[in-house]
Amino acid sequence: QLQLVESGGGSVQAGGSLRLSCAASGATRSMGWFRQAPGKEREGVATIDYYGNTGHADSVKGRFTISKDNAKNTLYLQMNSLKPEDTAVYYCAAADRRGWLGLAANGYNYWGQGTQVTVSS
């Protein structure tokens, strides 16, 4: 069973930056970042497949960048120009498929425990 552990969350003022990390217990295929704000559904933020292709939600394009280090089995999310509406618990997820770039949560098989990101105005 693949285990995922997120880190790097915290509190920041609007316009600031944070980098989230997700350490996997083994090799991964496609991975993604999701977030869930209080009272809202979990939404896909960014995804990266086994080959390094990426996809980002329209709400974060130009501000967030997903990347990974295969040697370290670690996924990253660089978040710049943060806005209060980015406040949420951020989760990383892994899929069993190699070429998966979907932002739908039901496409992923493994989930981390989440890390809180709070952006104040």
Side-chain angles (χ1 to χ4, degrees), residues 10-121:
S11 297
V12 65
Q13 288 191 328
S17 299
L18 283 173
R19 188 175 82 154
L20 304 183
S21 299
C22 172
S25 60
T28 58
R29 294 180 174 85
S30 298
M31 298 191 75
W33 286 101
F34 291 76
R35 65 186 181 186
Q36 188 166 18
K40 294 188 176 182
E41 293 187 356
R42 189 169 297 189
E43 64 169 339
V45 175
T47 179
I48 185 166
D49 70 9
Y50 177 82
Y51 308 102
N53 300 305
T54 62
H56 296 78
D58 288 343
S59 58
V60 305
K61 277 182 181 177
R63 300 189 299 122
F64 292 11
T65 303
I66 190 171
S67 63
K68 62 177 180 173
D69 185 330
N70 289 329
K72 296 181 179 179
N73 291 332
T74 302
L75 179 73
Y76 302 100
L77 184 68
Q78 178 66 45
M79 305 186 295
N80 299 327
S81 302
L82 282 160
K83 304 175 181 180
E85 50 264 44
D86 295 319
T87 294
V89 176
Y90 283 70
Y91 299 89
C92 75
D96 282 333
R97 290 176 280 182
R98 289 190 172 188
W100 176 245
L101 281 176
L103 288 174
N106 61 11
Y108 293 81
N109 308 95
Y110 310 96
W111 292 85
Q113 82 290 348
T115 185
Q116 176 71 46
V117 171
T118 303
V119 184
S120 58
S121 58

